[in-house]
Amino acid sequence: MKTSMRNSILLLPLLSACTGSTAGSTAGDGEDAQAFPACDEEFTVTEANPTLPWTPDAITLTSRELAPGVFVVYDRNADEYGPAGIPLATSGGFVIGDDGVLLVETMINRQLFCQMIDLVRAQTDKPVLYAINTSYHGDHNFGNAYLPEEVAVVQHERTAAHIAAHFEADIAFMEAAFGADQGIAETARVDADILVSDAGWSVDLGGLEVEARYHGFGQTEGDLFVYVPAARVLWTGNPLIAEAPAIPWLLDGRATDVRATLAAVKASLPADAIVVPGHSHPLTSAGFDWSVDYLDTLVGEVQAALDGGETLEEAQASVTMDAFHGYALWDWIHTTINVPKTYSELGGG
Ligand SMILES: [Zn+2]
């Protein structure tokens, strides 16, 4: 267990636990197979709540092998919802080397974390050795609370610092956005074991190397991009939410920096790279273009509004960017977050 808090949390729903089989229950031949006791307990499954962007306990995750040992994990509705602009659950994945497994993201709650572990266990009994979180946002790391103690949590050093200072606030944000009845607050803060600087980090899992790259401000000040060079597979986390018509969530602002980072990430990739966005199915590197074009247009139009003397309210009404419509969360993300953040940063009162 990663924290002592977790023990008391896990005792609460024990009445639903079944036979008490824990250690070794998932592996066929391992003498000391890695146990995930949090996943021996029953899950709560709910209907989708139409007032939420997506409903954690209504999500089913699926996996697909993108290259030998390299698996993406994503919302099974992604092929339909992504191109339609409907928000999707967090995407992640796992990489299996000779020595063990690396997780990309740990999801928002126990139910989705355990779905991910089940997808790993469907492929291998090798131990999970590492879990990389691309962001401080809880939908990428709250599952850390359910990792066994020996798994090394990997975060950018500024992500770790943000979590240390704002963990309770992020739980509140995630409950406000994704429901207070979704088991989100069951999590417990886990301190990262490996802190990644802007220089990046890499690990050899045994025959397969994984990199955690920093390319600049992507959505937060500590976004990591996870790359498997041998497979030319990249996980972007939130800086690239999904394909068109999804748009960046500039919750921490800095549209110009985000634009530069996304362009730099695309430029760093080979032409045939597979790009796993933060919240959809795998894309080609052309998947960056819509978000980059959106950000270019956003900055240009907000600047024009400022030059024309518009107030914030006038800019929110005038910067409609009709050519970029189609995302179900447009009114929230574009009008009430992205335009005001950019207006303020370009010098608006
Ligand atoms: Zn996310």
Side-chain angles (χ1 to χ4, degrees), residues 134-137 139-140 216-223 225 236-241 248-254 257-258 261-262 279 333:
T134 62
S135 167
Y136 71 74
H137 285 282
D139 59 305
H140 300 256
F217 188 99
Q219 186 204 34
T220 73
E221 58 189 354
D223 307 287
F225 293 81
T236 72
N238 284 344
L240 181 65
I241 287 281
W249 294 35
L250 302 178
L251 295 166
D252 294 350
R254 299 177 59 172
D257 291 336
V258 175
T261 298
L262 292 178
H279 290 262
I333 298 298

Side-chain angles (χ1 to χ4, degrees), residues 64-82:
R64 177 150 61 94
E65 188 168 26
L66 300 174
V70 181
F71 292 80
V72 61
V73 173
Y74 59 100
D75 187 324
R76 72 170 176 186
N77 292 319
D79 291 351
E80 177 187 353
Y81 286 9

